[in-house]
């Protein structure tokens, strides 16, 4: 399958891969059709698992390749990784400050003042952290095209699979609170899957950027890592740990281990 995939341009590869990650989001969101109520414990486990996957993907699939891509270029190997990482976190911090959104366990919206409904603000919160996920997949496939190495395509596959797996509980984490807000099952599902549509868009942008402007590669990889770590620290972990329980932490460990396994297995 990897050899078949390699015949396409990196932009098409990223688009196909993030169509899969979006589909996993939609599949998770569809659980609202089969369950009357999703427990808070289940949502916390889902968020903890997603956090573990994102942390591992940031290190193994993004920061390490960024450092490797800098070797032999004459630039200090730490510079692109550190610079891109901080820029990625700073970008998401700025978006978080200005884009109106609402976290699941808070009563007041964050960002700019808005007259948007509470339900739409919840969707915007999840959409916000899907941007770096799509970007991560895109720059990974862009890196594979730049290096023209099957191992890089395999690494891009691993991050797409990992993000797709964590998108399943993430889709549930969107649709379930919307259902709790009083939306119908169909509307809860629609907005749940809709939150994942930003991933193909950001993936295409990321893949095209690093493919056509190759010196951006290590910066783009670490930028995506910084953005993902910011989202994990700002949103996923605090929401998962909103109740006193060790289960979300254990779920984080499982998510991290799974993503590490995928990265090593595909390398």
């Amino acid at each position: 399958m990897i050899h078949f995939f390699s015949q396409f341009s990196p932009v098409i590869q990223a688009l196909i891969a993030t169509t899969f990650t979006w589909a996993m989001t939609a599949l998770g969101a569809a659980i609202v059709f089969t369950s009357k109520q999703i427990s808070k414990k289940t949502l916390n486990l889902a968020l903890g698992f997603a956090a573990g996957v994102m942390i591992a993907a940031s290190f193994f699939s993004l920061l390490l390749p960024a450092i490797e891509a800098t070797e032999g270029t004459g630039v200090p190997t730490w510079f692109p990784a550190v610079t891109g990482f901080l820029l990625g976190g700073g970008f998401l911090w700025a978006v978080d400050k200005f884009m109106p959104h609402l976290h699941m366990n808070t009563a007041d919206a964050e960002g700019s003042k808005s007259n948007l409904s509470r339900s739409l603000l919840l969707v915007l919160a999840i959409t916000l952290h899907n941007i770096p996920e799509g970007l991560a997949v895109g720059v990974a496939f862009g890196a594979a095209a730049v290096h023209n190495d099957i191992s890089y395509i395999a690494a891009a596959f691993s991050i797409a699979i990992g993000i797709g797996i964590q998108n399943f509980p993430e889709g549930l984490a969107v649709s379930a609170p919307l259902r709790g807000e009083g939306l119908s099952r169909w509307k809860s599902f629609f907005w749940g899957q809709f939150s994942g549509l930003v991933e193909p868009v950001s993936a295409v942008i990321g893949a095209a950027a690093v493919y056509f402007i190759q010196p951006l590669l290590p910066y783009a990889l670490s930028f995506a890592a910084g953005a993902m770590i910011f989202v994990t620290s700002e949103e996923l972990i605090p929401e998962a740990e909103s109740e006193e329980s060790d289960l979300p932490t254990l779920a984080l460990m499982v998510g991290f281990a799974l993503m590490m396994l995928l990265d090593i297995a595909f390398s």
Side-chain angles (χ1 to χ4, degrees):
M1 183 177 180
I2 291 177
H3 289 281
F4 171 77
F5 226 64
S6 63
Q7 68 181 303
F8 298 107
S9 72
V11 172
I12 298 301
Q13 291 173 357
L15 180 60
I16 295 172
T18 47
T19 298
F20 161 72
T21 64
W22 162 79
M24 291 296 288
T25 302
L27 192 60
I31 292 180
V32 293
F33 291 117
T34 62
S35 179
K36 292 183 178 180
Q37 187 174 4
I38 310 298
S39 70
K40 186 67 173 65
K41 181 181 293 186
T42 299
L43 290 176
N44 288 348
L45 284 171
L47 291 170
F49 178 84
V53 170
M54 290 180 71
I55 292 171
S58 297
F59 180 72
F60 292 103
S61 300
L62 297 171
L63 286 175
L64 281 183
I67 294 170
E68 292 172 359
T70 309
E71 293 176 353
T73 62
V75 178
T77 54
W78 58 267
F79 184 79
V82 172
T83 302
F85 183 84
L86 293 177
L87 287 174
F91 172 75
L92 259 292
W93 173 81
V95 173
D96 185 76
K97 290 298 180 184
F98 290 101
M99 189 179 86
H101 61 284
L102 179 68
H103 297 299
M104 283 184 288
N105 297 311
T106 57
D108 300 322
E110 298 181 6
S112 301
K113 290 186 178 180
S114 170
N115 293 323
L116 297 174
S117 67
R118 179 180 173 86
S119 299
L120 189 54
L121 289 171
L122 283 168
V123 174
L124 286 175
I126 301 297
T127 302
L128 171 63
H129 85 235
N130 280 337
I131 294 174
E133 293 177 13
L135 183 62
V137 175
V139 297
F141 279 103
V146 169
H147 288 278
N148 194 26
D149 188 330
I150 196 70
S151 65
Y152 276 86
I153 296 180
F157 258 90
S158 72
I159 192 171
I161 292 172
I163 288 178
I165 291 172
Q166 67 97 32
N167 273 2
F168 179 82
E170 203 168 81
L172 171 63
V174 182
S175 61
L178 294 178
R179 179 66 177 152
E181 289 288 320
L183 269 68
S184 69
R185 296 183 191 276
W186 275 106
K187 285 186 177 180
S188 298
F189 166 75
F190 172 81
W191 288 113
Q193 64 81 32
F194 182 83
S195 68
L197 286 176
V198 71
E199 289 186 3
V201 176
S202 54
V204 166
I205 293 172
V210 300
Y211 182 67
F212 293 108
I213 313 175
Q214 295 185 13
L216 285 178
L217 176 57
Y219 297 93
L221 287 166
S222 51
F223 182 96
M228 288 177 68
I229 291 296
F230 178 88
V231 166
T232 303
S233 178
E234 167 72 11
E235 182 175 342
L236 296 182
I237 292 177
E239 291 183 0
E241 299 287 355
S242 59
E243 295 180 357
E244 291 186 11
S245 173
D246 293 331
L247 292 178
T249 300
L250 295 175
L252 185 150
M253 298 292 292
V254 171
F256 186 98
L258 176 62
M259 187 64 225
M260 180 170 58
L261 172 63
L262 287 172
D263 193 82
I264 295 172
F266 275 92
S267 62

